[in-house]
Amino acid sequence: MSATGTAAPPVETLDSFLERGLALLESRSRRRSEQARTWGEGSDDVNLIDDGADGPDAPDVLAARAWQARKLDAGFGWVTGPPELGGAGLPTHYETAFKNLEAGFDLPDPSILAVTLHMVLPTVVRWASAQLRDALAPRLARAETVSCQLFSEPEAGSDLAGIRTSAVRDGGDWVVNGQKIWTSGAHFSDIGLIVCRTDPDGPRYRNLTAFIVDMHDPGVEVRPIRQLTGHSSFNEVFLTDVRIPDTHRLGEPGQGWAVIISTLMSERSSIGTGNSTKTVDPGMLLELVRRHGDGSALTRDLTARAYTASRLVERFGERCAEELRSGSDPGPRFSIGKILLVDALRRTSELIEHVLGPRIVADTGEWGTFAWSIVSLEQPSFGIGGGTDEIQRNIVAERVLGLPKDRS
């Protein structure tokens, strides 16, 4: 019963929820199995990372935003979000079940909005003031506002506690100066979640504060970083005398480290369960081996290892989904999912390079050969983004297995 004595409305059954979801998906697209890729037809692109190279008006960015808005209106865009902010207010396993259903359809690339929906939105809901949360969360959930995450810096590496970008209090504002790097999607974002040093002499981990910054501010300069692939999905961002109102602060001054941890846990949860990650089409990969493999014992071994590693990623995601369905939170164990994903991509890359040989470094124009080189070029970034492999293994060792910490 509610505080007023009125019974709470019954939660929609999962079967009914998925039935409605299936109707929405079928009204938008066809199942992937109904339009399976045929070798030699259409594009042979196997890119794993969306680059959004053309900025906010790029067709893939616009398509992702439009699909998110449509999902939200139908009750599937923010399944677990509070109804007062535009969410559906349903259990976590409803969201997981719909995402599994959605993966079977040919739809706009979800990774474009991964930072907005899976990292910044949860952080805003948890840490923003009520006024900022109520104004910003519905816009993020609808993708009317797209966000990036401004954490890493050139001289800090993986040591986020060592960042130098400063925010100095000036009346009702904070004046920010500094540089961020490896910022995914900054070139098509409207706002950014930024962490700055607000107490230059304060104790480590208690001298940082988080804010929401306007990426269209004239003091914000975004410079795309050209990668090995030729794409520019990452950026360096320079901030010069950027004024951020104190009302756009997340948490209290000095709570920036807690905001960082909260955001990174959301990120690792998203990656660990596969909610924000593109993967290699296993059917296309096996067809590549069938057409270009030499049938040797080494080829069979590499194929088995790559396939097994990919299946482990899937099974771990299913296990996490089952735990969430039962009301349990895997917490730091999400880091295992990221370790498994990186391992699977590395093994896939090894298989591709072995099977194709020189054709992966020299474009002969043959369909389905040189295009695979992008997987080998992109896969190292997965071992860095969202926390390096070393950080993930430390988390598993210390927080999952209970092993003692390394000596400083």
Side-chain angles (χ1 to χ4, degrees):
M1 301 287 288
S2 68
T4 60
T6 304
V11 175
E12 180 181 15
T13 66
L14 181 60
D15 288 342
S16 172
F17 173 77
L18 291 178
E19 184 178 348
R20 290 195 303 108
L22 182 60
L24 172 68
L25 293 168
E26 289 180 333
S27 71
R28 172 62 173 77
S29 181
R30 291 185 298 171
R31 293 179 184 270
R32 292 188 188 278
S33 58
E34 295 175 0
Q35 50 179 179
R37 296 176 69 179
T38 301
W39 191 271
E41 295 183 7
S43 171
D44 60 355
D45 176 43
V46 287
N47 183 20
L48 296 174
I49 301 175
D50 178 82
D51 58 5
D54 296 328
D57 296 324
D60 52 353
V61 175
L62 295 177
R65 296 177 74 163
W67 173 234
Q68 176 61 23
R70 184 172 177 181
K71 283 197 298 182
L72 192 76
D73 289 338
F76 300 93
W78 192 13
V79 176
T80 61
E84 62 271 20
L85 295 177
L90 293 171
T92 302
H93 66 276
Y94 278 55
E95 178 181 46
T96 304
F98 177 74
K99 287 184 181 299
N100 291 337
L101 192 66
E102 186 179 22
F105 288 79
D106 184 42
L107 294 163
D109 178 12
S111 67
I112 294 173
L113 298 176
V115 174
T116 299
L117 300 177
H118 302 303
M119 298 169 216
V120 177
L121 176 56
T123 301
V124 166
V125 171
R126 179 171 179 179
W127 294 100
S129 66
Q131 181 180 7
L132 180 61
R133 179 199 63 207
D134 293 349
L136 189 54
R139 295 185 60 84
L140 290 169
R142 182 175 288 276
E144 289 179 1
T145 297
V146 176
S147 182
C148 59
Q149 174 182 300
L150 297 155
F151 284 3
S152 298
E153 296 188 7
E155 297 184 22
S158 297
D159 179 20
L160 292 179
I163 61 176
R164 298 185 179 184
T165 294
S166 66
V168 178
R169 191 69 180 262
D170 182 21
D173 295 339
W174 296 80
V175 180
V176 176
N177 285 279
Q179 178 186 358
K180 299 291 182 175
I181 200 166
W182 312 125
T183 306
S184 301
H187 51 304
F188 57 80
S189 292
D190 303 299
I191 62 171
L193 167 57
I194 188 170
V195 176
C196 307
R197 179 171 292 190
T198 48
D199 184 353
D201 302 316
R204 186 176 170 87
Y205 300 111
R206 294 197 295 273
N207 58 354
L208 308 174
T209 306
F211 305 91
I212 294 295
V213 61
D214 181 3
M215 295 298 291
H216 303 301
D217 186 285
V220 177
E221 180 185 1
V222 177
R223 298 181 188 175
I225 298 174
R226 186 66 60 183
Q227 300 153 223
L228 285 173
T229 61
H231 295 164
S232 296
S233 56
F234 308 120
N235 306 269
E236 52 184 344
V237 179
F238 296 85
L239 303 107
T240 306
D241 294 332
V242 176
R243 302 188 74 88
I244 301 177
D246 187 56
T247 54
H248 285 198
R249 171 171 41 83
L250 301 181
E252 297 299 322
Q255 279 192 310
W257 184 252
V259 176
I260 287 176
I261 296 302
S262 173
T263 306
L264 291 180
M265 287 304 297
S266 296
E267 180 179 24
R268 287 159 192 168
S269 168
S270 178
I271 294 173
T273 55
N275 285 340
S276 64
T277 306
K278 297 167 72 174
T279 56
V280 175
D281 183 335
M284 293 293 286
L285 181 62
L286 292 177
E287 183 65 15
L288 172 71
V289 175
R290 189 185 73 80
R291 288 176 177 270
H292 298 288
D294 57 10
S296 67
L298 177 57
T299 299
R300 294 196 302 272
D301 181 66
L302 290 174
T303 302
R305 290 176 182 273
Y307 178 79
T308 302
S310 297
R311 287 294 295 156
L312 283 172
V313 175
E314 295 175 10
R315 291 297 298 137
F316 184 81
E318 292 168 2
R319 177 177 174 177
C320 287
E322 183 62 33
E323 291 191 33
L324 291 170
R325 188 178 301 116
S326 65
S328 176
D329 183 0
R333 280 177 288 140
F334 280 125
S335 290
I336 298 174
K338 185 168 187 300
I339 292 171
L340 291 175
L341 172 66
V342 172
D343 180 65
L345 290 175
R346 284 173 178 160
R347 293 184 182 278
T348 298
S349 181
E350 290 173 359
L351 172 62
I352 292 168
E353 292 166 6
H354 169 73
V355 169
L356 289 175
R359 283 170 294 192
I360 203 170
V361 296
D363 189 0
T364 64
E366 182 181 2
W367 197 97
T369 55
F370 180 72
W372 287 92
S373 64
I374 199 166
V375 175
S376 294
L377 295 175
E378 287 180 337
Q379 65 87 10
S381 67
F382 286 85
I384 301 173
T388 64
D389 291 350
E390 293 77 14
I391 288 176
Q392 305 298 341
R393 288 188 170 89
N394 279 343
I395 291 172
V396 173
E398 296 169 6
R399 301 182 59 192
V400 178
L401 301 178
L403 299 177
K405 292 186 176 183
D406 288 339
R407 293 180 179 178
S408 299

